[in-house]
Amino acid sequence: MSQKIFEKKDLRKHYLDDQGNVDYIKIQARWEEFKKNKVSLANKHFTQQVVEKAKTLSQEDQQRLLDIMIEGLTYNDSSVGIAATRPEDYDLFLFYLEPLIREYHKIEGQTKQEHDWNIPVGEYVLTNIDPKLEKVSMRARVARNVVGYSLPSSMDKDERIKFENQMVEVFEKFGFPGKYHSLTPGHKNFISDQEADVLRNKHFLFINMTHDNCLMSNGVASDWPYGRGIWISEDETKMVWVGEEDHLRIISIVQGNDLGKVDQSLNELLTGIEKSGLKFAEHPTYGIITTCPTNMGTGKRQSILGKFPNITKGGKDEANLKNIAKSLGLQARGIGGEHSNMDSEGTADISPSARFGVTEAIVTKRLYEGLIKLYEIERNEANEKQRQNCCNTF
Ligand code: CIR
């Protein structure tokens, strides 16, 4: 039986008193209940001091505070459980969010996000790791939110449509040949569900967000599919998601073996969008402002799709790859992104975990250095398997 998915506007009512004000007793009771199982960062950092400080805010701001943690209050399997509602949340609620951001990004002492896109072409070449890595799907993306709009978790339908239309104007004149595909019913660039699925099968377009409990509960998926779409360059190497977890996810996909080339392509696209006059939300300390605190800093995620049949034992032991990747500062996900599965060849999307306190250039370096070690482990596992097979024949 399919599970009913609830929306933010219904969920938040559980944490209000009879007058419609935020009820901290109800919130704390829920967090305590969850502590028996899994403790999200939103839960862990909602201390008594945070409650006391929160009570000094206006009721309007207290309602916002409830909104930013509604996902964590709803689902016991959230690991972070936070979705910011507007860029200012990272100032107003810093008394709650700062320790959480520090813990997630392992920040010690004072750190200020710096940017550096000076990523050399010809230095991080995958065939130097393994000659078989000649034609690899390499991806990089940055998350961006535009100043002047609420973040996706608290946009209303009109604001989503207005933002999408502003982006269509950018795409029409920013100088890259390509096409915008809109999921908004009645939009001049509308595409059908079938056409959208073709783009999903190519791993270009994001999923139907209403299928994701987290995104439904925190309001990011509200008003689906209004204001959502994707711009794709003619050669299908550059893309922009509009209206997913952040206003924009700016993406480059390159088939090849030089990690620097994907960065070059991504930076061209990002610069093109910036030159069109959009101003991206940025925090003086925490860098690029994103809906999920996990993406703060560079907002950059860079990955390759690699095959790890030996570490994953033919795709049956995804956890082994995830654990090894983690120990190397990498994340391993399925081919369809977070929460998706790997195939029988152990095909996984591998990226560095670091987003904050590293520059864009360091993200690429970390990916390359992590891959050197990961492929070495894969080769060792293959050799070990071969050795066992050989001995078993006697
Ligand atoms: C959680 O808290 O478990 C989810 N909201 C996912 C956190 C991972 N990051 C993300 O979606 N950008």
Side-chain angles (χ1 to χ4, degrees):
M1 203 175 68
S2 70
Q3 192 195 343
K4 175 148 175 48
I5 298 175
F6 295 97
E7 290 194 49
K8 179 165 92 174
K9 63 179 171 23
D10 304 315
L11 297 165
R12 63 194 311 291
K13 289 184 193 149
H14 297 298
Y15 306 100
L16 301 176
D17 65 16
D18 294 344
Q19 280 77 48
N21 292 334
V22 175
D23 188 329
Y24 293 95
I25 307 266
K26 289 179 181 166
I27 293 175
Q28 285 176 302
R30 181 66 160 175
W31 287 140
E32 283 311 310
E33 183 192 330
F34 280 179
K35 274 183 186 149
K36 291 180 214 140
N37 201 332
K38 179 174 173 177
V39 186
S40 64
L41 290 179
N43 185 350
K44 178 175 172 188
H45 291 284
F46 199 75
T47 59
Q48 192 56 39
Q49 286 102 302
V50 166
V51 173
E52 296 313 322
K53 174 86 180 144
K55 285 180 181 167
T56 66
L57 300 174
S58 70
Q59 184 54 221
E60 195 189 335
D61 287 336
Q62 293 184 48
Q63 300 277 347
R64 287 264 182 193
L65 182 61
L66 170 60
D67 281 348
I68 71 170
M69 59 187 178
I70 193 67
E71 176 200 319
L73 283 167
T74 305
Y75 293 106
N76 203 2
D77 57 356
S78 282
S79 51
V80 182
I82 293 287
T85 67
R86 47 183 187 166
E88 304 88 281
D89 290 354
Y90 286 104
D91 287 317
L92 189 63
F93 305 126
L94 206 58
F95 60 93
Y96 173 41
L97 296 178
E98 185 176 18
L100 183 155
I101 295 173
R102 285 185 165 274
E103 177 168 342
Y104 181 85
H105 293 283
K106 303 184 179 65
I107 307 170
E108 283 165 19
Q110 285 308 309
T111 311
K112 185 180 169 339
Q113 180 61 44
E114 307 286 348
H115 300 284
D116 174 14
W117 278 94
N118 193 6
I119 301 158
V121 167
E123 189 160 326
Y124 304 125
V125 180
L126 299 173
T127 43
N128 291 342
I129 298 178
D130 187 327
K132 286 199 287 294
L133 300 175
E134 183 67 42
K135 205 159 195 283
V136 177
S137 176
M138 307 181 293
R139 297 173 164 238
R141 62 91 163 143
V142 284
R144 290 291 185 275
N145 290 286
V146 175
V147 170
Y149 291 90
S150 306
L151 294 177
S153 68
S154 69
M155 288 171 111
D156 64 19
K157 190 169 155 188
D158 287 347
E159 200 181 5
R160 293 184 201 278
I161 293 172
K162 185 176 158 210
F163 178 70
E164 181 183 34
N165 288 335
Q166 180 173 359
M167 285 315 300
V168 171
E169 280 176 32
V170 170
F171 298 141
E172 280 170 355
K173 53 181 190 225
F174 78 153
F176 295 96
K179 197 169 167 220
Y180 182 67
H181 309 264
S182 175
L183 304 183
T184 303
H187 194 282
K188 64 175 179 166
N189 301 77
F190 179 73
I191 53 164
S192 65
D193 283 348
Q194 288 75 10
E195 289 169 301
D197 281 341
V198 171
L199 298 180
R200 289 192 183 104
N201 290 337
K202 290 167 118 175
H203 301 294
F204 291 172
L205 180 61
F206 47 90
I207 58 161
N208 177 330
M209 293 158 76
T210 63
H211 296 168
D212 185 316
N213 286 349
C214 293
L215 299 181
M216 282 300 284
S217 64
N218 61 27
V220 167
S222 296
D223 310 306
W224 176 265
Y226 288 88
R228 274 66 176 220
I230 181 171
W231 175 87
I232 306 176
S233 68
E234 242 167 39
D235 64 0
E236 300 190 332
T237 62
K238 292 180 170 65
M239 283 159 221
V240 183
W241 288 0
V242 176
E244 206 248 3
E245 187 179 280
D246 294 290
H247 291 152
L248 300 174
R249 289 280 173 99
I250 301 165
I251 302 164
S252 179
I253 303 179
V254 176
Q255 307 295 324
N257 53 58
D258 186 341
L259 294 178
K261 287 205 175 145
V262 75
D263 285 287
Q264 196 177 46
S265 166
L266 178 63
N267 198 14
E268 273 169 22
L269 182 59
L270 175 64
T271 312
I273 296 175
E274 265 172 329
K275 279 192 185 143
S276 71
L278 292 184
K279 191 170 166 5
F280 298 133
E282 185 153 3
H283 189 276
T285 308
Y286 296 106
I288 297 303
I289 288 182
T290 52
T291 299
C292 183
T294 61
N295 284 316
M296 295 283 281
T298 56
K300 184 185 178 204
R301 182 171 185 278
Q302 182 163 6
S303 66
I304 65 142
L305 282 188
K307 292 186 199 308
F308 301 92
N310 294 294
I311 295 179
T312 63
K313 301 183 180 57
K316 289 195 283 289
D317 194 354
E318 293 186 10
N320 194 33
L321 178 58
K322 287 186 177 173
N323 290 337
I324 292 173
K326 196 171 173 191
S327 71
L328 301 173
L330 301 171
Q331 268 174 2
R333 300 179 175 181
I335 325 170
E338 207 164 10
H339 312 304
S340 69
N341 292 328
M342 297 172 197
D343 63 12
S344 60
E345 291 182 291
T347 310
D349 177 280
I350 307 289
S351 64
S353 338
R355 315 255 190 281
F356 178 84
V358 286
T359 63
E360 290 77 5
I362 297 287
V363 171
T364 312
K365 187 168 186 277
R366 294 255 174 106
L367 175 61
Y368 185 72
E369 289 173 353
L371 286 172
I372 293 175
K373 293 185 188 134
L374 194 57
Y375 276 103
E376 190 184 322
I377 297 171
E378 172 66 16
R379 272 193 300 274
N380 289 345
E381 297 259 346
N383 292 341
E384 176 62 15
K385 202 165 119 192
Q386 208 172 25
R387 197 186 62 77
Q388 281 178 5
N389 284 346
C390 136
C391 299
N392 288 343
T393 58
F394 286 99

